[in-house]
Amino acid sequence: YRSTRTSLFDGIEEGGIRATSYSSHEIDEQENDRAVDGLQDRVSILKRLSGDIHEEVETHNRMLDRMGNDMDTSRGFLSGTVDKFKMVFETKSSRRMGTLVASFVALFLLVYYLTR
């Protein structure tokens, strides 16, 4: 009976609780460890975010490069078309043909809008 009672009240001495064996240095170390763990979590989150941002930037750069190439191709087609129009309108007979085509297009558009 005496040994179980002693084990039950092992942490209590003369009406009070025994002081903990932790020193302030050990408590500071535990707080520092928790702070370091928190910082490691934040750093890993920032690393993942920066990786995602890098992938997004690379994707946008590839898309802009393709769009630039498409614009260069379009510019080439447009300059060829403009050169052809210049050749057509240099001679007088071509001017008449151009005027005739333009008047037919204008007449067609006028009839289209009037019937609508």
Side-chain angles (χ1 to χ4, degrees), residues 7-103:
S7 65
L8 247 167
F9 296 105
D10 195 25
I12 299 176
E13 290 180 355
E14 299 175 359
I17 299 176
R18 221 182 307 168
T20 60
S21 61
Y22 293 120
S23 66
S24 65
H25 177 70
E26 289 173 344
I27 293 172
D28 289 342
E29 284 294 323
Q30 289 174 354
E31 289 176 1
N32 285 341
D33 289 341
R34 280 188 295 238
V36 166
D37 290 339
L39 284 175
Q40 286 176 342
D41 292 341
R42 289 179 182 171
V43 166
S44 66
I45 289 170
L46 285 174
K47 184 177 178 182
R48 275 187 272 138
L49 281 174
S50 64
D52 292 344
I53 289 171
H54 178 72
E55 287 178 23
E56 191 72 23
V57 166
E58 290 294 323
T59 303
H60 283 112
N61 282 338
R62 283 192 299 272
M63 184 172 45
L64 287 173
D65 287 342
R66 282 193 309 261
M67 191 178 351
N69 292 338
D70 291 344
M71 292 298 287
D72 289 341
T73 303
S74 299
R75 187 176 301 128
F77 286 138
L78 185 60
S79 67
T81 305
V82 168
D83 290 341
K84 288 179 184 177
F85 271 116
K86 284 181 184 178
M87 282 182 6
V88 165
F89 286 111
E90 283 179 358
T91 61
K92 288 187 179 186
S93 64
S94 297
R95 286 186 197 162
R96 281 188 186 165
M97 182 61 84
T99 307
L100 185 63
V101 169
S103 62

